[in-house]
């Protein structure tokens, strides 16, 4: 009798921690991203200057590694004499904030639609699948152009646009996962216990969807950051003088042949952030679904 | 005899097959006018081969599916008149596969207290007390409270599933092949446990199984289903000693003659590749 009463093996969480520790890509991505998050949180403390303060006598100062560079402006200044390092540090806030909010917002929309479609099937599924097709047929940039020209390019409008345009991958993944889960007996058991539909969807199914949601979500953060940069570059996203990386690239594009650092530095920041997020997302997928793809 | 706890009256269930423009319309009669009564305190086994309608019957008795014809009475009233939660207080399921019937993301405590949470009557402390009490009865240590299903063996998981079924003190427990996913040694433990609990909680069991040795061991009466029809319903002694129906006789024979089964499972003779 005694041997059947032993608890075997680690908890699911311990198991995940163990797998995470053995995944270099995930560790690298998570480390870089944690640093970026810290930078974003502490940007006002870290930035040596006010990112909005213009000083036309100090225009286009070279960075510290150039011959005439000074330690006062580590990355030099831009065409309006603003400290470039401060602007890049503050840009981390804008990018991560938009990326995270858009990923969460679209995650809520996509997960809800996906769960309803997967759980009910039939007509509900047809309607949701139709919405997914419609969404896939919408060109993101054109829709953004239209919306921004009507409502203006404030930060929360960019977040709202991205949320409404990036939910399709969540919906597809969640729908498929829910279809698999709903035939499992624990759902039948919950039904037999008299559980309500919201309880089954949120209490029984959602915890089991956390893995795929996390994977899609992390990749979607990177996607949203790239899109925000692209929109800001086109002048459709965050409006000046907010320090957004995409906007900084756009403001300096005339200088590309004279002072390439003005484009290279924010560009590198975008690339580093998105790479870190994708490394983490790919790592999460390997960790959460060792048997196959999420 | 006392009044029936649950009565199944002329229950039929027809599934329609194929909806699309390219599939042929068809019907599958999973249950065909099945009638029987379930009396308080008895163990009624339902046996039959795969596809005989056992699982459809259990779904209907659990209120998860509606019969196409006929009706099910619970304590004399049609099941449709019960609200879901009220019904769940009287009838609870134990499923076949404890790997699938327990949500892998919940701890033992969350799993067992779920019927109480759904009923929403007791506070947290009271629920925990009941869970502990039940674990005690099931001879499971309380340190299991925070374990996840993936950390437990099949027998332990099935105990958790049984605890979950019993926590709201139901009168009827519908066991859908509760031991067929378990090791033989664990099967006996779980069966003995079910029998013990029957006395402790004054339970009535419906025991759906294709394992006739288990049925002989546990049941008071046996109902035999064949292609959706109830072909025989008798006391377990009578049925095993002198089955009236040919189909029952076949079932009994196929279960007892192990050598013949092995013969039929041998691969056919052929060129040796």
């Amino acid at each position: 009798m005694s041997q059947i009463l032993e608890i075997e093996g680690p908890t699911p969480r311990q198991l995940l921690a163990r797998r995470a520790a053995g995944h270099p890509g995930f560790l690298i991505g998570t480390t870089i991203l944690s640093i970026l998050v810290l930078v974003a949180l502490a940007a006002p403390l870290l930035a040596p200057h006010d990112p909005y303060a213009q000083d036309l006598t100090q225009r286009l100062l070279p960075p510290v590694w150039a011959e005439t560079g000074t330690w006062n402006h580590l990355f030099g200044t831009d065409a309006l004499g603003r400290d470039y390092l401060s602007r890049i540090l503050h840009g981390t806030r804008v990018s991560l904030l938009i990326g995270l909010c858009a990923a969460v917002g679209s995650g809520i929309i996509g997960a809800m639609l996906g769960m309803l479609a997967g759980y009910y099937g039939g007509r509900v599924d047809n309607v949701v699948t139709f919405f997914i097709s419609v969404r896939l047929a919408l060109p993101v940039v054109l829709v953004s152009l239209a919306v921004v020209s009507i409502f203006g390019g404030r930060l929360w409008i960019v977040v709202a646009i991205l949320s409404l345009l990036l939910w399709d991958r969540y919906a597809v993944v969640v729908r498929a996962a829910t279809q698999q889960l709903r035939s499992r007996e624990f759902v039948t058991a919950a039904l037999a216990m008299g559980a309500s539909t919201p309880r089954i969807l949120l209490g029984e199914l959602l915890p089991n969807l956390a893995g795929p949601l996390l994977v899609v979500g992390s990749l979607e953060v990177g996607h949203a950051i790239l899109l925000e940069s692209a929109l800001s570059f086109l002048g459709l996203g965050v409006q000046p003088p907010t320090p957004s990386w995409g906007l900084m690239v756009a403001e300096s594009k005339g200088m590309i042949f004279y002072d390439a650092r003005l484009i290279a530095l924010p560009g590198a920041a975008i690339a580093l952030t998105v790479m870190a997020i994708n490394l983490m997302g790919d790592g999460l997928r390997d960790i959460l679904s060792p048997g196959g793809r999420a | 005899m006392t009044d029936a706890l649950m009565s199944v009256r002329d229950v039929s269930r027809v599934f329609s097959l194929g909806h699309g423009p390219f599939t042929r319309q068809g019907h599958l009669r999973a249950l065909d006018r099945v009638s029987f009564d379930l009396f308080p305190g008895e163990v009624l086994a339902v046996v039959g081969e795969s596809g005989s309608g056992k699982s459809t019957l259990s779904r209907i008795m659990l209120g998860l599916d509606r019969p196409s014809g006929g009706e099910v009475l619970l304590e004399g009233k049609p099941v449709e008149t019960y609200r879901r939660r009220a019904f769940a207080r009287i009838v609870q399921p134990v499923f076949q596969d404890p790997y699938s019937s327990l949500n892998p993301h919940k701890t033992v405590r969350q799993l067992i207290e779920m019927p109480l949470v759904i009923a929403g009557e007791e506070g947290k402390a009271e629920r925990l007390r009941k869970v502990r009490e039940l674990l005690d009865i099931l001879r499971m240590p309380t340190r299991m409270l925070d374990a996840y299903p993936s950390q437990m063996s099949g027998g332990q998981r099935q105990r958790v599933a049984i605890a979950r079924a019993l926590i709201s003190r139901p009168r009827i427990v519908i066991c859908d092949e509760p031991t067929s996913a378990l090791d033989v040694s664990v099967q006996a433990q779980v069966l003995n446990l079910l029998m013990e609990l029957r006395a402790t909680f004054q339970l009535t069991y419906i025991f759906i199984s294709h394992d006739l040795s288990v049925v002989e061991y546990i049941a008071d009466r046996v109902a035999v289903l064949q292609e959706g029809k109830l072909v025989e319903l008798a006391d377990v002694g009578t049925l095993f000693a002198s089955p009236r129906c040919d189909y029952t006789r076949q079932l009994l024979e196929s279960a007892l003659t192990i050598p013949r089964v092995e013969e039929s499972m041998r691969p056919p003779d052929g060129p040796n590749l």
Side-chain angles (χ1 to χ4, degrees):
Chain A
M1 197 48 124
S2 66
Q3 90 281 358
I4 67 155
L5 298 178
E6 292 309 311
I7 302 173
E8 305 161 357
T11 64
R13 213 160 289 162
Q14 287 168 336
L15 204 66
L16 293 182
R18 227 178 273 171
R19 270 194 232 128
H23 196 293
F26 176 77
L27 292 180
I28 295 170
T30 315
T31 312
I32 298 177
L33 197 65
S34 324
I35 294 170
L36 287 170
V37 169
L38 285 179
V39 166
L41 290 174
L45 301 174
L46 294 173
H49 297 273
D50 179 355
Y52 297 103
Q54 302 181 12
D55 184 353
L56 291 180
T57 62
Q58 305 278 317
R59 294 177 68 226
L60 294 172
L61 289 184
V64 68
W65 57 84
E67 274 170 40
T68 54
T70 63
W71 284 95
N72 190 24
H73 295 288
L74 225 58
F75 285 180
T77 56
D78 66 5
L80 295 172
R82 295 175 294 196
D83 182 56
Y84 223 51
L85 175 64
S86 303
R87 285 185 69 74
I88 287 184
L89 290 178
H90 276 266
T92 319
R93 295 187 130 185
V94 174
S95 284
L96 288 183
L97 188 72
I98 289 181
L100 207 66
C101 291
V104 170
S106 54
I108 292 172
I109 300 173
M112 245 166 46
L113 288 175
M115 277 205 290
L116 291 175
Y119 184 71
Y120 285 110
R123 235 167 250 167
V124 180
D125 191 23
N126 290 343
V127 171
V128 172
T129 315
F130 174 74
F131 277 134
I132 294 175
S133 309
V134 169
R135 149 59 206 107
L136 289 172
L138 289 177
V140 175
V141 174
L142 287 185
V143 173
S144 311
L145 180 73
V147 176
V148 170
S149 63
I150 295 170
F151 295 104
R154 271 153 296 173
L155 197 130
W156 68 267
I157 288 185
V158 176
V159 169
I161 296 172
L162 293 179
S163 300
L164 289 171
L165 288 176
L166 294 180
W167 54 265
D168 50 294
R169 221 185 300 177
Y170 289 100
V172 170
V173 170
V174 168
R175 173 175 167 268
T178 308
Q179 281 172 341
Q180 269 179 15
L181 285 171
R182 71 148 291 143
S183 60
R184 299 270 296 271
E185 274 175 343
F186 66 81
V187 177
T188 318
L191 276 171
M193 280 182 250
S196 59
T197 308
R199 183 184 291 281
I200 290 176
L201 290 181
L202 300 177
E204 298 292 311
L205 293 179
L206 194 57
N208 287 289
L209 296 169
L213 273 178
L214 219 58
V215 173
V216 177
S218 61
L219 296 172
E220 223 48 72
V221 172
H223 194 183
I225 289 177
L226 275 182
L227 267 177
E228 183 271 322
S229 303
L231 289 177
S232 297
F233 180 81
L234 293 174
L236 304 172
V238 179
Q239 298 301 305
T242 314
S244 150
W245 293 336
L247 199 56
M248 289 163 76
V249 174
E251 284 167 346
S252 316
K253 62 181 181 293
M255 316 277 216
I256 189 163
F257 297 116
Y258 311 107
D259 200 350
R261 101 196 126 94
L262 288 174
I263 285 176
L265 288 173
I270 296 170
L272 180 74
T273 309
V274 175
M275 185 196 73
I277 290 168
N278 284 352
L279 276 176
M280 191 187 77
D282 282 339
L284 274 177
R285 173 159 54 206
D286 294 343
I287 291 163
L288 294 173
S289 56
R293 295 172 71 88
Chain B
M1 218 170 210
T2 43
D3 285 343
L5 195 52
M6 185 184 256
S7 306
V8 175
R9 299 227 183 287
D10 278 331
V11 162
S12 302
R13 180 71 174 96
V14 180
F15 294 104
S16 56
L17 308 170
H19 298 283
F22 302 113
T23 45
R24 216 150 39 100
Q25 293 281 326
H27 295 287
L28 177 73
R29 192 167 278 273
L31 287 177
D32 193 0
R33 278 167 288 141
V34 172
S35 299
F36 60 85
D37 287 331
L38 181 68
F39 296 102
E42 75 167 337
V43 179
L44 175 68
V46 178
V47 301
E49 48 186 23
S50 306
S52 58
K54 291 180 308 213
S55 293
T56 308
L57 184 62
S58 89
R59 284 183 63 84
I60 286 175
M61 286 190 293
L62 279 169
L64 295 173
D65 199 0
R66 290 273 175 86
S68 316
E71 60 175 353
V72 180
L73 305 176
L74 181 63
E75 294 178 333
K77 288 177 285 183
V79 293
E80 291 81 24
T81 61
Y82 285 85
R83 299 191 48 184
R84 273 236 53 87
R85 286 187 199 172
F87 186 81
R89 298 219 126 196
I90 307 175
V91 185
Q92 279 284 327
V94 174
F95 290 104
Q96 171 177 11
D97 183 3
Y99 294 85
S100 163
S101 68
L102 302 176
N103 192 330
H105 285 268
K106 294 195 168 188
T107 62
V108 167
R109 176 183 163 181
Q110 289 170 324
L111 286 165
I112 297 179
E113 71 177 5
M114 191 172 155
L116 299 179
V117 175
I118 290 170
E121 280 161 25
E122 285 109 346
K124 206 173 172 187
E126 175 66 9
R127 290 201 303 261
L128 182 59
R129 193 189 63 75
K130 284 192 172 179
V131 172
R132 283 176 186 276
E133 186 186 288
L134 203 55
L135 283 183
D136 216 39
I137 296 173
L138 293 173
R139 291 190 298 273
M140 289 173 82
T142 42
R143 65 191 154 77
M144 281 219 164
L145 281 173
D146 296 315
Y148 287 89
S150 61
Q151 296 174 282
M152 294 187 284
S153 64
Q156 288 171 336
R157 292 182 211 201
Q158 200 56 297
R159 277 161 197 263
V160 173
I162 292 169
R164 176 175 66 179
L166 296 183
I167 190 114
S168 56
R169 303 291 165 110
R171 297 191 66 192
I172 304 175
V173 176
I174 298 182
C175 307
D176 193 348
E177 311 235 13
T179 57
S180 58
L182 304 176
D183 284 348
V184 179
S185 59
V186 184
Q187 278 187 12
Q189 288 173 0
V190 170
L191 288 176
N192 287 331
L193 183 67
L194 284 172
M195 288 297 94
E196 257 180 73
L197 295 169
R198 176 194 182 188
T200 319
F201 293 91
Q202 283 139 26
L203 296 171
T204 306
Y205 285 122
I206 292 194
F207 201 93
I208 291 164
S209 181
H210 62 255
D211 187 341
L212 289 164
S213 54
V214 168
V215 167
E216 188 174 15
Y217 179 70
I218 199 169
D220 297 321
R221 291 195 301 155
V222 183
V224 182
L225 280 179
Q226 182 193 14
E227 290 174 5
K229 291 194 178 68
L230 184 69
V231 291
E232 188 159 4
L233 175 62
D235 287 345
V236 67
T238 321
L239 187 109
F240 276 82
S242 53
R244 277 202 330 252
C245 173
D246 285 344
Y247 178 68
T248 314
R249 206 168 297 132
Q250 279 173 26
L251 272 184
L252 292 177
E253 279 169 10
S254 63
L256 293 174
T257 51
I258 292 160
R260 245 178 54 187
V261 174
E262 279 180 354
E263 189 78 33
S264 67
M265 282 169 66
R266 190 184 295 159
D269 294 330
N272 204 339
L273 304 172

